[in-house]
Amino acid sequence: MAKIIDGKAISAQIRAEIAAEVASMPVKPGLSVIIVGDDPASKVYVRNKHKACGEVGIRSEVIELPASATQEELDAVIDRLNADESVSGILCQLPLPKGLSEDEVIARIDPKKDVDAFSAVNVGHIMLGDPVFLPCTPAGVMELLKRSGVEVKGKSCVVVGRSNIVGKPMAMLLLKADGTVTVCHSKTADLKAVTSAADILVVAIGRAKFITADMVKEGAAVIDVGMDRDENGRLCGDVDFDAVSEKAGYITPVPGGVGPMTITMLLKNTVAAAKLQAGEKNQ
Ligand code: NAP
């Protein structure tokens, strides 16, 4: 039976560390979250981020724009936040309603305030192995591995999924930690042959219970980034948890695995942004 990696407990531990750090800062970091429209899932994510900030002493505001907002109106909000010294971090909750450009929004946020690490500048730093901000979900995965005692160095690491927000930056962080990394996607021939050779398997595809026990190596560390619904509408991951946990050495549950870590890493980045900006001011 695999050791269950408890993302809630690890997340609580890191949030306590962040709260202690924030308490020692003379000027508290501030996060501004923009939400456009009424997408219910986005509203829940934004509410959770706002609440998490409050719990660690980070100031936060939620700026709500109607779904009818124009690109110019959204751009103007970002410009105002970029110029506001009391704002350390900015994020715009995605997806945006039709007619608004996510690329333009990401490009417009000042890279020094881009706490999601989505901008080309920050992605470039990640690619160069010298990140300014760590991409939140992949950074959360790395913390789960580290704090569970799973060594990455020299291990065969397989990432299933190549999205810009999870799969690709995940591969970069594993590589930086000296893993030997393979990235799989929907066109991968014989996925099972690749996944079943992995010492560390990170899955981010968005298909409920897609990874079955026969696709996993005995004793592997299996990290499930997926947030899906099963046939009964219950939240589940991309990994068939019940069967895979009988074979893996470590496994993250859904919920309670990677999920809580993403917001925790956002809090960490907001603190890092505040420090970066304070450092520049004092130069
Ligand atoms: P995405 O942008 O839809 O990307 C999915 C990736 O999976 C693509 O690269 C796709 O390959 C690949 N894929 C799809 N079907 C596949 C298959 N049958 N075999 C192999 N690869 C396959 O998704 P995402 O944004 O990365 O999110 C992935 C999952 O993680 C979702 O369930 C999402 O809700 C969850 N998520 C969770 C968190 C968290 O905080 N826990 C954060 C972000 C995302 P192609 O590129 O070839 O199409």
Side-chain angles (χ1 to χ4, degrees), residues 253-267:
V254 179
V258 176
M261 295 297 288
T262 298
I263 294 184
T264 300
M265 294 300 120
L266 172 70
L267 302 175

Side-chain angles (χ1 to χ4, degrees), residues 128-207:
L128 292 170
D130 183 24
V132 177
F133 299 119
L134 290 168
C136 297
T137 301
V141 171
M142 296 307 287
E143 282 289 340
L144 289 178
L145 291 170
K146 191 169 127 196
R147 292 183 189 235
S148 305
V150 178
E151 169 96 78
V152 176
K153 189 175 176 179
K155 296 284 173 62
S156 163
C157 306
V158 172
V159 180
V160 190
R162 57 173 164 181
S163 70
N164 288 336
I165 63 163
V166 188
K168 282 184 205 166
M170 186 72 248
M172 287 303 126
L173 297 194
L174 288 165
L175 192 59
K176 186 172 164 59
D178 294 329
T180 301
V181 184
T182 307
V183 181
C184 300
H185 45 78
S186 68
K187 310 292 185 295
T188 298
D190 203 354
L191 183 65
K192 182 176 153 185
V194 185
T195 57
S196 55
D199 301 313
I200 297 172
L201 178 62
V202 182
V203 191
I205 59 179
R207 286 170 170 246

